[in-house]
Amino acid sequence: SPEELEATRAAVANFAASEGRELQRQLEEYAADKDSYIEAYWYDAYLSHDGSVVLNLNPFFVLADDPTPTGADAQVSRA
């Protein structure tokens, strides 16, 4: 809604004028000697995890037969 958009704009402007400046300065200082300021956090958060993840899951599903077959080509005619 227009009211929510205006509230968001005001919140962003307030952040940019207050703590946003200091946080940006700290980020730039931290990143000054790095190729990527997020790389270390990425490795820590996503690549160093050794627990079981969804990739270890092998889901499957079964297609049930049509309960109303009308002949040998019933499925073909419906497709």
Coordinates of all heavy atoms in Angstrom, one line a residue:
S1 N 0.8 -1.2 0.0 CA 0.0 0.0 0.0 C 0.9 1.3 0.0 O 2.1 1.2 0.4 CB -0.9 0.0 1.2 OG -0.2 0.3 2.4
P2 N 0.4 2.4 -0.4 CA 1.1 3.6 -0.4 C 1.7 4.0 1.0 O 2.8 4.5 1.2 CB 0.1 4.7 -0.9 CG -0.9 3.9 -1.7 CD -1.0 2.6 -1.0
E3 N 0.9 3.7 2.1 CA 1.3 4.0 3.4 C 2.5 3.1 3.8 O 3.5 3.6 4.4 CB 0.2 3.7 4.4 CG -1.0 4.7 4.2 CD -2.0 4.3 3.1 OE1 -1.9 3.1 2.7 OE2 -2.7 5.1 2.7
E4 N 2.5 1.8 3.4 CA 3.6 0.9 3.8 C 4.9 1.3 3.0 O 6.0 1.3 3.5 CB 3.2 -0.5 3.4 CG 2.1 -1.1 4.3 CD 1.6 -2.4 3.9 OE1 1.5 -2.6 2.6 OE2 1.4 -3.3 4.7
L5 N 4.7 1.7 1.7 CA 5.8 2.2 0.9 C 6.5 3.4 1.6 O 7.7 3.5 1.7 CB 5.4 2.5 -0.5 CG 6.5 3.0 -1.4 CD1 7.6 2.0 -1.5 CD2 5.9 3.3 -2.8
E6 N 5.6 4.3 2.0 CA 6.2 5.5 2.6 C 6.9 5.2 4.0 O 7.9 5.8 4.3 CB 5.1 6.6 2.9 CG 5.5 7.9 3.3 CD 6.6 8.5 2.5 OE1 6.5 8.4 1.2 OE2 7.6 9.1 3.0
A7 N 6.3 4.3 4.7 CA 6.9 3.9 6.0 C 8.3 3.2 5.7 O 9.3 3.4 6.5 CB 6.0 2.9 6.8
T8 N 8.4 2.4 4.7 CA 9.6 1.8 4.3 C 10.7 2.8 3.9 O 11.8 2.7 4.3 CB 9.4 0.7 3.2 OG1 8.5 -0.3 3.7 CG2 10.7 0.0 2.8
R9 N 10.2 3.7 3.1 CA 11.2 4.8 2.6 C 11.7 5.6 3.8 O 12.9 5.9 3.9 CB 10.5 5.7 1.6 CG 10.3 5.1 0.3 CD 9.7 6.0 -0.7 NE 9.6 5.5 -2.0 CZ 8.8 5.8 -3.0 NH1 7.9 6.8 -2.8 NH2 8.8 5.2 -4.2
A10 N 10.8 5.9 4.8 CA 11.2 6.6 5.9 C 12.2 5.8 6.8 O 13.2 6.4 7.3 CB 10.0 7.0 6.8
A11 N 12.0 4.5 6.9 CA 12.8 3.7 7.7 C 14.2 3.6 7.0 O 15.3 3.6 7.7 CB 12.2 2.3 7.9
V12 N 14.3 3.5 5.7 CA 15.5 3.4 5.0 C 16.3 4.7 5.1 O 17.5 4.7 5.4 CB 15.3 3.0 3.5 CG1 16.6 3.2 2.7 CG2 14.8 1.6 3.4
A13 N 15.6 5.8 5.0 CA 16.3 7.1 5.1 C 16.8 7.3 6.5 O 17.9 7.8 6.7 CB 15.3 8.2 4.8
N14 N 16.0 6.9 7.5 CA 16.5 7.0 8.9 C 17.7 6.1 9.2 O 18.7 6.6 9.8 CB 15.3 6.6 9.9 CG 15.7 6.7 11.3 OD1 16.4 7.7 11.7 ND2 15.4 5.8 12.1
F15 N 17.7 4.9 8.7 CA 18.9 4.0 8.8 C 20.1 4.6 8.1 O 21.2 4.6 8.7 CB 18.5 2.7 8.2 CG 19.7 1.7 8.3 CD1 20.0 1.1 9.5 CD2 20.4 1.4 7.2 CE1 21.1 0.2 9.5 CE2 21.5 0.6 7.2 CZ 21.9 -0.1 8.4
A16 N 19.9 5.1 6.9 CA 21.0 5.7 6.1 C 21.6 6.9 6.8 O 22.8 7.1 6.7 CB 20.6 6.0 4.7
A17 N 20.8 7.6 7.5 CA 21.3 8.9 8.2 C 21.9 8.6 9.5 O 22.5 9.5 10.1 CB 20.1 9.9 8.3
S18 N 21.6 7.4 10.1 CA 22.1 7.2 11.5 C 23.1 6.0 11.4 O 24.2 6.2 10.9 CB 20.9 6.8 12.4 OG 20.2 5.7 11.9
E19 N 22.8 4.9 11.9 CA 23.8 3.8 12.1 C 24.3 3.2 10.7 O 25.3 2.6 10.6 CB 23.3 2.7 12.9 CG 22.1 1.9 12.3 CD 20.9 1.8 13.3 OE1 20.9 2.4 14.3 OE2 20.0 1.1 12.9
G20 N 23.5 3.4 9.7 CA 23.9 2.9 8.4 C 25.3 3.5 7.9 O 26.1 2.7 7.3
R21 N 25.5 4.7 8.2 CA 26.8 5.3 7.8 C 28.0 4.6 8.5 O 29.0 4.3 7.9 CB 26.8 6.8 8.1 CG 25.9 7.6 7.2 CD 26.0 9.1 7.5 NE 25.1 9.8 6.6 CZ 24.9 11.1 6.6 NH1 25.6 11.8 7.5 NH2 24.0 11.6 5.8
E22 N 27.9 4.4 9.8 CA 28.9 3.8 10.5 C 29.1 2.3 10.1 O 30.2 1.9 10.0 CB 28.6 3.9 12.0 CG 29.6 3.1 12.9 CD 31.1 3.6 12.8 OE1 31.3 4.8 12.3 OE2 32.0 2.9 13.1
L23 N 28.0 1.6 9.9 CA 28.1 0.2 9.5 C 28.8 0.1 8.1 O 29.6 -0.7 7.8 CB 26.8 -0.4 9.5 CG 26.1 -0.6 10.8 CD1 24.7 -1.1 10.7 CD2 27.0 -1.6 11.6
Q24 N 28.4 1.1 7.2 CA 29.1 1.1 5.9 C 30.6 1.3 6.0 O 31.4 0.7 5.3 CB 28.4 2.1 5.0 CG 29.0 2.1 3.6 CD 28.7 0.9 2.8 OE1 27.7 0.2 3.0 NE2 29.6 0.6 1.8
R25 N 30.9 2.3 6.8 CA 32.4 2.6 7.0 C 33.1 1.3 7.6 O 34.2 1.0 7.1 CB 32.5 3.7 8.0 CG 34.0 4.2 8.2 CD 34.2 5.0 9.4 NE 34.0 4.3 10.7 CZ 34.8 3.4 11.2 NH1 35.9 3.0 10.5 NH2 34.5 2.8 12.3
Q26 N 32.5 0.6 8.5 CA 33.1 -0.6 9.1 C 33.3 -1.6 8.0 O 34.3 -2.3 8.0 CB 32.3 -1.1 10.3 CG 32.4 -0.2 11.5 CD 31.5 -0.7 12.6 OE1 31.1 -1.8 12.6 NE2 31.3 0.1 13.6
L27 N 32.3 -1.8 7.2 CA 32.3 -2.8 6.1 C 33.4 -2.5 5.1 O 34.2 -3.4 4.7 CB 30.9 -2.9 5.4 CG 30.9 -3.9 4.3 CD1 31.1 -5.3 4.7 CD2 29.5 -3.8 3.6
E28 N 33.5 -1.2 4.7 CA 34.5 -0.8 3.8 C 35.9 -1.0 4.4 O 36.8 -1.5 3.7 CB 34.3 0.6 3.4 CG 33.1 0.8 2.5 CD 32.8 2.2 2.1 OE1 33.5 3.1 2.6 OE2 31.8 2.4 1.4
E29 N 36.1 -0.7 5.7 CA 37.3 -0.9 6.3 C 37.7 -2.4 6.4 O 38.8 -2.8 6.1 CB 37.3 -0.4 7.8 CG 38.6 -0.5 8.6 CD 38.4 0.1 10.0 OE1 37.9 1.2 10.1 OE2 38.8 -0.6 10.9
Y30 N 36.7 -3.3 6.7 CA 36.9 -4.7 6.8 C 37.3 -5.3 5.4 O 38.2 -6.1 5.3 CB 35.7 -5.4 7.3 CG 35.7 -6.9 7.3 CD1 36.4 -7.6 8.2 CD2 35.1 -7.6 6.2 CE1 36.5 -9.0 8.1 CE2 35.1 -8.9 6.1 CZ 35.8 -9.7 7.1 OH 35.9 -11.0 7.0
A31 N 36.6 -4.8 4.4 CA 36.8 -5.3 3.0 C 38.0 -4.8 2.3 O 38.4 -5.2 1.2 CB 35.6 -5.0 2.2
A32 N 38.7 -3.8 2.9 CA 39.8 -3.1 2.2 C 40.9 -4.1 1.7 O 41.5 -3.9 0.6 CB 40.4 -2.0 3.1
D33 N 41.2 -5.1 2.5 CA 42.3 -6.0 2.1 C 41.8 -7.4 1.7 O 42.5 -8.4 1.7 CB 43.3 -6.2 3.2 CG 42.6 -6.8 4.5 OD1 41.4 -6.8 4.6 OD2 43.4 -7.2 5.4
K34 N 40.5 -7.5 1.2 CA 39.9 -8.8 0.8 C 39.4 -8.7 -0.6 O 38.9 -7.6 -1.0 CB 38.8 -9.1 1.8 CG 39.3 -9.4 3.2 CD 38.1 -9.5 4.2 CE 38.6 -9.7 5.6 NZ 39.6 -8.8 6.1
D35 N 39.4 -9.8 -1.3 CA 38.7 -9.9 -2.6 C 37.2 -9.9 -2.5 O 36.5 -9.3 -3.3 CB 39.1 -11.2 -3.3 CG 40.6 -11.2 -3.8 OD1 41.1 -10.0 -4.0 OD2 41.2 -12.2 -3.9
S36 N 36.7 -10.5 -1.4 CA 35.3 -10.5 -1.2 C 35.0 -10.4 0.3 O 35.5 -11.2 1.1 CB 34.7 -11.9 -1.7 OG 33.4 -12.0 -1.3
Y37 N 34.2 -9.4 0.7 CA 33.9 -9.2 2.1 C 33.0 -10.3 2.7 O 33.0 -10.5 3.9 CB 33.3 -7.9 2.4 CG 31.9 -7.7 1.9 CD1 30.8 -8.0 2.7 CD2 31.7 -7.2 0.6 CE1 29.6 -7.8 2.2 CE2 30.5 -7.0 0.1 CZ 29.4 -7.3 0.9 OH 28.1 -7.1 0.4
I38 N 32.3 -11.1 1.9 CA 31.4 -12.0 2.3 C 31.9 -13.5 2.3 O 31.3 -14.4 2.9 CB 30.1 -11.9 1.6 CG1 28.9 -12.6 2.3 CG2 30.2 -12.5 0.2 CD1 27.6 -12.3 1.8
E39 N 33.1 -13.7 1.6 CA 33.6 -15.0 1.4 C 33.7 -15.8 2.7 O 33.3 -17.0 2.8 CB 34.9 -15.0 0.6 CG 35.4 -16.4 0.3 CD 36.6 -16.3 -0.6 OE1 37.2 -15.2 -0.7 OE2 37.0 -17.3 -1.2
A40 N 34.4 -15.3 3.7 CA 34.6 -16.0 5.0 C 33.3 -16.4 5.6 O 33.2 -17.5 6.1 CB 35.5 -15.2 5.9
Y41 N 32.3 -15.5 5.6 CA 31.0 -15.8 6.2 C 30.3 -16.8 5.4 O 29.6 -17.7 6.0 CB 30.2 -14.5 6.3 CG 30.8 -13.4 7.2 CD1 31.3 -12.3 6.6 CD2 31.0 -13.6 8.5 CE1 31.9 -11.3 7.4 CE2 31.5 -12.6 9.3 CZ 32.0 -11.5 8.7 OH 32.6 -10.5 9.5
W42 N 30.5 -16.8 4.1 CA 29.8 -17.8 3.3 C 30.4 -19.2 3.6 O 29.6 -20.2 3.8 CB 30.1 -17.5 1.8 CG 29.5 -18.5 0.8 CD1 30.1 -19.5 0.3 CD2 28.2 -18.5 0.4 NE1 29.3 -20.2 -0.5 CE2 28.0 -19.6 -0.5 CE3 27.0 -17.7 0.6 CZ2 26.9 -20.0 -1.1 CZ3 25.9 -18.1 -0.1 CH2 25.8 -19.2 -0.9
Y43 N 31.7 -19.3 3.7 CA 32.3 -20.6 4.0 C 31.8 -21.1 5.4 O 31.5 -22.3 5.6 CB 33.8 -20.5 4.0 CG 34.4 -20.5 2.6 CD1 35.3 -19.6 2.2 CD2 34.0 -21.4 1.6 CE1 35.8 -19.5 0.9 CE2 34.5 -21.4 0.3 CZ 35.4 -20.5 0.0 OH 35.9 -20.5 -1.3
D44 N 31.8 -20.2 6.3 CA 31.4 -20.6 7.7 C 30.0 -21.0 7.7 O 29.6 -22.0 8.4 CB 31.6 -19.4 8.7 CG 33.1 -19.2 8.9 OD1 33.9 -20.1 8.6 OD2 33.4 -18.1 9.5
A45 N 29.1 -20.3 7.1 CA 27.7 -20.6 7.2 C 27.2 -21.7 6.3 O 26.3 -22.5 6.7 CB 26.9 -19.3 6.8
Y46 N 27.8 -21.9 5.1 CA 27.2 -22.8 4.2 C 28.1 -24.0 3.8 O 27.7 -25.1 3.5 CB 26.8 -22.1 2.9 CG 25.7 -21.1 3.1 CD1 26.0 -19.8 3.2 CD2 24.4 -21.5 3.3 CE1 25.0 -18.9 3.4 CE2 23.4 -20.7 3.5 CZ 23.7 -19.3 3.6 OH 22.7 -18.4 3.8
L47 N 29.4 -23.7 3.7 CA 30.3 -24.8 3.2 C 31.0 -25.6 4.3 O 31.6 -26.6 4.0 CB 31.3 -24.1 2.2 CG 30.7 -23.4 1.1 CD1 31.8 -22.8 0.2 CD2 29.8 -24.3 0.2
S48 N 31.0 -25.1 5.5 CA 31.7 -25.9 6.5 C 30.8 -26.8 7.3 O 31.2 -27.5 8.2 CB 32.5 -24.9 7.5 OG 31.6 -24.2 8.2
H49 N 29.5 -26.8 7.0 CA 28.5 -27.6 7.7 C 28.7 -29.0 7.3 O 28.8 -29.4 6.2 CB 27.1 -27.1 7.4 CG 26.0 -27.8 8.1 ND1 25.9 -27.7 9.5 CD2 25.1 -28.6 7.7 CE1 24.8 -28.4 9.8 NE2 24.4 -29.0 8.8
D50 N 28.8 -29.9 8.3 CA 29.0 -31.3 8.0 C 27.8 -32.2 8.4 O 27.9 -33.4 8.3 CB 30.3 -31.8 8.7 CG 30.2 -31.8 10.2 OD1 29.2 -31.2 10.7 OD2 31.1 -32.3 10.9
G51 N 26.7 -31.6 8.7 CA 25.5 -32.3 9.1 C 24.8 -32.8 7.8 O 25.1 -32.4 6.7
S52 N 23.8 -33.6 8.1 CA 23.0 -34.2 7.0 C 22.1 -33.1 6.4 O 21.5 -32.3 7.1 CB 22.1 -35.3 7.6 OG 21.7 -36.2 6.6
V53 N 22.1 -33.0 5.1 CA 21.3 -32.0 4.4 C 20.3 -32.6 3.5 O 20.4 -33.8 3.2 CB 22.1 -30.9 3.7 CG1 22.9 -30.1 4.7 CG2 23.0 -31.6 2.7
V54 N 19.5 -31.8 2.8 CA 18.5 -32.4 1.9 C 19.1 -33.1 0.8 O 18.5 -34.0 0.2 CB 17.6 -31.2 1.4 CG1 16.6 -31.7 0.4 CG2 16.9 -30.5 2.5
L55 N 20.3 -32.8 0.4 CA 21.0 -33.6 -0.7 C 21.1 -35.0 -0.4 O 21.3 -35.8 -1.3 CB 22.3 -32.9 -1.0 CG 22.3 -31.5 -1.5 CD1 23.7 -31.0 -1.6 CD2 21.5 -31.3 -2.7
N56 N 21.0 -35.4 0.9 CA 21.1 -36.8 1.2 C 19.8 -37.5 1.2 O 19.7 -38.7 1.4 CB 21.7 -37.0 2.6 CG 23.1 -36.5 2.7 OD1 23.8 -36.4 1.7 ND2 23.5 -36.2 3.9
L57 N 18.7 -36.8 0.8 CA 17.4 -37.4 0.8 C 17.1 -37.9 -0.6 O 17.4 -37.2 -1.6 CB 16.4 -36.3 1.2 CG 14.9 -36.6 1.2 CD1 14.7 -37.7 2.3 CD2 14.1 -35.4 1.5
N58 N 16.5 -39.0 -0.7 CA 16.1 -39.6 -2.0 C 14.6 -39.8 -2.0 O 14.0 -40.9 -1.8 CB 16.8 -41.0 -2.2 CG 18.2 -40.8 -2.4 OD1 18.7 -40.0 -3.1 ND2 19.0 -41.6 -1.7
P59 N 13.8 -38.7 -2.3 CA 12.4 -38.9 -2.3 C 11.9 -39.6 -3.6 O 12.6 -39.7 -4.6 CB 11.9 -37.4 -2.4 CG 13.0 -36.7 -3.1 CD 14.3 -37.4 -2.7
F60 N 10.7 -40.2 -3.5 CA 10.1 -40.9 -4.6 C 8.6 -40.7 -4.5 O 8.1 -40.4 -3.5 CB 10.5 -42.3 -4.7 CG 9.9 -43.2 -3.6 CD1 8.7 -43.9 -3.9 CD2 10.4 -43.3 -2.4 CE1 8.1 -44.6 -2.9 CE2 9.8 -44.0 -1.4 CZ 8.7 -44.7 -1.6
F61 N 7.9 -41.0 -5.6 CA 6.5 -41.0 -5.6 C 6.0 -42.1 -6.5 O 6.7 -42.5 -7.4 CB 5.8 -39.7 -5.9 CG 6.2 -39.2 -7.3 CD1 5.3 -39.4 -8.4 CD2 7.4 -38.5 -7.6 CE1 5.6 -39.0 -9.6 CE2 7.7 -38.0 -8.8 CZ 6.8 -38.3 -9.9
V62 N 4.8 -42.6 -6.3 CA 4.2 -43.6 -7.1 C 3.0 -43.1 -7.8 O 2.1 -42.4 -7.2 CB 3.8 -44.8 -6.2 CG1 3.1 -45.9 -7.0 CG2 4.9 -45.4 -5.4
L63 N 3.0 -43.4 -9.1 CA 1.8 -43.0 -9.9 C 0.8 -44.1 -9.9 O 1.1 -45.2 -10.3 CB 2.2 -42.7 -11.4 CG 3.2 -41.6 -11.5 CD1 3.6 -41.5 -13.0 CD2 2.6 -40.2 -11.1
A64 N -0.4 -43.8 -9.3 CA -1.4 -44.8 -9.2 C -2.1 -45.0 -10.6 O -2.1 -44.1 -11.4 CB -2.5 -44.4 -8.2
D65 N -2.6 -46.2 -10.8 CA -3.3 -46.5 -12.1 C -4.6 -45.6 -12.1 O -5.2 -45.3 -11.0 CB -3.7 -47.9 -12.1 CG -2.5 -48.8 -12.4 OD1 -1.5 -48.3 -12.9 OD2 -2.6 -50.0 -12.0
D66 N -5.0 -45.3 -13.3 CA -6.3 -44.5 -13.5 C -7.4 -45.3 -13.0 O -7.6 -46.5 -13.4 CB -6.5 -44.2 -14.9 CG -7.6 -43.3 -15.2 OD1 -8.5 -43.1 -14.3 OD2 -7.8 -42.8 -16.3
P67 N -8.2 -44.8 -12.0 CA -9.3 -45.6 -11.5 C -10.5 -45.8 -12.5 O -11.4 -46.6 -12.2 CB -9.8 -44.8 -10.3 CG -9.4 -43.4 -10.5 CD -8.1 -43.5 -11.4
T68 N -10.5 -45.1 -13.6 CA -11.6 -45.2 -14.5 C -11.1 -45.5 -15.9 O -11.4 -44.8 -16.9 CB -12.4 -43.9 -14.6 OG1 -11.5 -42.8 -14.9 CG2 -13.0 -43.6 -13.3
P69 N -10.4 -46.6 -16.1 CA -9.9 -46.9 -17.5 C -11.1 -47.3 -18.4 O -12.1 -47.9 -18.0 CB -9.0 -48.1 -17.2 CG -9.5 -48.8 -16.0 CD -10.0 -47.6 -15.2
T70 N -11.0 -46.9 -19.6 CA -12.0 -47.2 -20.6 C -11.5 -48.0 -21.8 O -12.2 -48.1 -22.8 CB -12.7 -45.9 -21.1 OG1 -11.7 -45.1 -21.7 CG2 -13.4 -45.2 -19.9
G71 N -10.4 -48.5 -21.7 CA -9.9 -49.3 -22.9 C -8.4 -49.3 -22.8 O -7.7 -48.6 -22.0
A72 N -7.8 -49.9 -23.8 CA -6.3 -50.1 -23.9 C -5.6 -48.7 -24.0 O -4.5 -48.5 -23.6 CB -5.9 -51.0 -25.0
D73 N -6.2 -47.8 -24.7 CA -5.6 -46.5 -25.0 C -6.2 -45.4 -24.1 O -6.1 -44.2 -24.5 CB -5.6 -46.2 -26.5 CG -7.1 -45.9 -26.9 OD1 -8.0 -46.3 -26.2 OD2 -7.2 -45.2 -28.0
A74 N -6.8 -45.7 -23.0 CA -7.4 -44.7 -22.2 C -6.5 -43.5 -21.8 O -6.8 -42.4 -21.9 CB -8.1 -45.3 -21.0
Q75 N -5.3 -43.9 -21.3 CA -4.4 -42.9 -20.9 C -3.9 -42.1 -22.1 O -3.7 -40.8 -22.0 CB -3.2 -43.5 -20.2 CG -3.5 -44.2 -18.9 CD -4.0 -43.2 -17.8 OE1 -3.5 -42.1 -17.8 NE2 -5.0 -43.5 -17.0
V76 N -3.6 -42.7 -23.2 CA -3.2 -42.0 -24.4 C -4.2 -41.0 -24.9 O -3.9 -39.8 -25.2 CB -2.8 -43.0 -25.5 CG1 -2.4 -42.2 -26.8 CG2 -1.7 -43.8 -25.1
S77 N -5.4 -41.3 -24.9 CA -6.5 -40.4 -25.4 C -6.7 -39.2 -24.4 O -7.0 -38.1 -24.8 CB -7.8 -41.1 -25.6 OG -8.3 -41.6 -24.3
R78 N -6.4 -39.4 -23.1 CA -6.5 -38.3 -22.2 C -5.3 -37.4 -22.3 O -5.5 -36.2 -21.9 CB -6.6 -38.9 -20.7 CG -7.9 -39.6 -20.5 CD -8.0 -40.1 -19.0 NE -7.5 -39.1 -18.1 CZ -7.2 -39.4 -16.9 NH1 -7.2 -40.6 -16.5 NH2 -6.7 -38.5 -16.1
A79 N -4.2 -37.9 -22.7 CA -3.0 -37.0 -22.8 C -3.2 -36.1 -23.9 O -3.1 -35.0 -24.1 CB -1.8 -37.9 -23.0

